[in-house]
């Protein structure tokens, strides 16, 4: 069988994604019960980070440690990747030694090119275009707290960025309705929206998007790599803060999620992120369990 990669949520079938979510819930219970489970003994994950990370790095490294394997952190600052070695060459060499490779980078094309030349599974740990691993944790968290997300309504408030793009793919794969509120000029990319028009609607009013939502999600206004646009973005996103008043427009049992890191007082008020409807801490922890399920799926 040819090597399976996880570059976007569309690389797996809806059934496979559902299996991963259920397995993540099981692996979490096993871990909480203190069960030792080492299906990846002697297997090694390479972790290429061209952008900063707290959650992604720690969850992948811990996942490999729990599974009896190892992880190697590779920074462009001290590998030849940062000195311009061809992506194809790096992919051939790294995949000849490693069992699985995760990459966090800028251009999505770079990870596609890497995967084309890799003989082992490649996992997208965030690109400018997508952040699929985060969606596994988000869906797991919703399922744990409220049951199936199928047929539910999710409101995305903010930038049409990598997280928003992965929510669009998730709406297709997990079959939920997605209401996106973003200021003009910050829409998700048309190519990503294209095959999702039956599930996804764009609003200019965050309040309108929040109505009847079962889950409200936001993210930073300025993503990694966009730092020089910060002042312009702060002005454009004025009013796109998720507040208690906005949460009150949603359904009574609506949850709040944010992939983190968050900026209290910008995209979300402190009382929402630190309040009773916030699921952000479980969402962050579930990165570990969801990625364990993903690694197990790709490697065993
Ligand atoms: N949510 C997320 O990917 O966090 P990190 O940038 O800390 O990895
Ligand atoms: N949109 C954010 C997500 C961080 C996890 C970024 O790309 O910086």
């Amino acid at each position: 069988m040819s090597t399976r990669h996880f570059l976007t949520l569309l690389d797996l079938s809806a059934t496979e994604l559902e299996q991963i979510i259920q397995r993540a819930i099981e692996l979490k219970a096993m871990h909480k019960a203190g069960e030792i489970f080492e299906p990846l003994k002697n297997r090694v994950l390479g972790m290429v980070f061209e952008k900063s990370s707290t959650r992604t790095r720690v969850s992948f490294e811990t996942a490999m440690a729990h599974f009896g394997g190892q992880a190697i952190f590779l920074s462009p600052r001290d590998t030849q990747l940062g000195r311009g070695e061809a992506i194809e060459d790096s992919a051939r060499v790294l995949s000849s030694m490693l069992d699985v490779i995760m990459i966090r980078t800028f251009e999505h094309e770079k990870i596609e090119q890497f995967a084309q030349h890799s003989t082992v599974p490649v996992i997208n740990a965030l690109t400018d275009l997508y952040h699929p691993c985060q969606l596994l944790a988000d869906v797991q968290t919703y399922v744990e707290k409220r049951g199936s997300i199928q047929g539910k309504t999710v409101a995305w408030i903010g930038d049409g960025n990598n997280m928003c793009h992965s929510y669009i793919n998730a709406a297709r794969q997990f079959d939920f309705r997605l209401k996106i509120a973003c200021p003009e000029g910050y829409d998700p990319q048309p190519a990503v929206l294209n095959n999702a028009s039956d599930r996804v609607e764009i609003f200019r009013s965050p309040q309108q998007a929040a109505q009847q939502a079962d889950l409200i999600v936001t993210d930073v206004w300025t993503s990694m790599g966009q730092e020089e646009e910060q002042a312009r973005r702060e002005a454009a996103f004025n009013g796109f803060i998720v507040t208690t008043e906005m949460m009150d427009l949603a359904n009574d049992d609506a949850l709040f999620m944010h992939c983190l890191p968050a900026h209290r007082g910008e995209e979300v008020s402190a009382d929402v992120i630190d309040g009773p409807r916030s699921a952000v801490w479980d969402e962050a922890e579930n990165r570990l369990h969801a990625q364990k399920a993903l690694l197990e799926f790709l490697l065993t």
Side-chain angles (χ1 to χ4, degrees), residues 215-227:
L215 168 64
I216 294 190
V217 195
T218 190
D219 186 12
V220 292
W221 294 337
T222 303
S223 284
M224 290 181 277
Q226 300 173 329
E227 288 76 9

Side-chain angles (χ1 to χ4, degrees), residues 1 57 70 73 76 124 130 142 145 153 169 211 230 288:
M1 212 183 90
R57 177 176 177 180
Q70 295 256 352
F73 177 78
N124 180 355
Y130 295 108
Y142 190 87
K145 292 186 178 295
T153 299
N169 283 347
Q211 278 163 29
Q230 189 160 338
L288 169 64

Side-chain angles (χ1 to χ4, degrees), residues 104 126 131 161-163 219-220 223-224 259-261:
R104 170 168 285 196
L126 182 147
H131 193 8
N161 63 10
N162 45 9
M163 274 298 299
D219 186 12
V220 292
S223 284
M224 290 181 277
C259 62
L260 307 177

Side-chain angles (χ1 to χ4, degrees), residues 49 52-57 104 125-126 131 134 224 259-261 287:
F49 278 101
S52 303
S53 168
T54 298
R55 280 145 286 269
T56 305
R57 177 176 177 180
R104 170 168 285 196
L126 182 147
H131 193 8
Q134 182 69 50
M224 290 181 277
C259 62
L260 307 177
R287 294 292 305 279

Side-chain angles (χ1 to χ4, degrees), residues 120-261:
V120 302
V122 175
I123 297 172
N124 180 355
L126 182 147
T127 62
D128 290 344
L129 208 53
Y130 295 108
H131 193 8
C133 288
Q134 182 69 50
L135 263 290
L136 297 179
D138 286 25
V139 173
Q140 180 191 344
T141 308
Y142 190 87
V143 170
E144 285 175 343
K145 292 186 178 295
R146 297 286 184 266
S148 173
I149 200 165
Q150 185 178 20
K152 301 285 185 187
T153 299
V154 177
W156 173 268
I157 311 291
D159 193 15
N161 63 10
N162 45 9
M163 274 298 299
C164 178
H165 290 157
S166 281
Y167 260 95
I168 294 169
N169 283 347
R172 292 171 59 181
Q173 295 287 60
F174 292 100
D175 191 20
F176 57 79
R177 179 177 176 219
L178 180 63
K179 298 168 85 180
I180 297 172
C182 45
E184 214 168 334
Y186 296 91
D187 288 0
Q189 293 191 9
V192 180
L193 273 171
N194 257 347
N195 295 312
S197 49
D198 55 333
R199 305 274 161 71
V200 183
E201 260 179 294
I202 305 276
F203 295 82
R204 294 290 168 232
S205 152
Q207 284 76 15
Q208 247 181 311
Q211 278 163 29
Q212 277 114 43
D214 299 295
L215 168 64
I216 294 190
V217 195
T218 190
D219 186 12
V220 292
W221 294 337
T222 303
S223 284
M224 290 181 277
Q226 300 173 329
E227 288 76 9
E228 76 290 351
E229 296 173 31
Q230 189 160 338
R232 182 153 54 85
R233 285 176 166 270
E234 274 172 21
F237 285 93
N238 183 27
F240 280 73
I241 176 168
V242 179
T243 57
T244 295
E245 293 70 46
M246 200 181 286
M247 290 300 299
D248 287 343
L249 298 170
N251 287 340
D252 285 345
D253 63 349
L255 293 173
F256 170 76
M257 289 193 203
H258 188 312
C259 62
L260 307 177

Side-chain angles (χ1 to χ4, degrees), residues 277-298:
R277 289 179 280 198
S278 172
V280 299
W281 312 119
D282 293 305
E283 180 188 5
E285 181 192 321
N286 282 340
R287 294 292 305 279
L288 169 64
H289 310 296
Q291 284 154 208
K292 276 170 130 174
L294 175 67
L295 289 164
E296 187 188 39
F297 172 84
L298 292 172

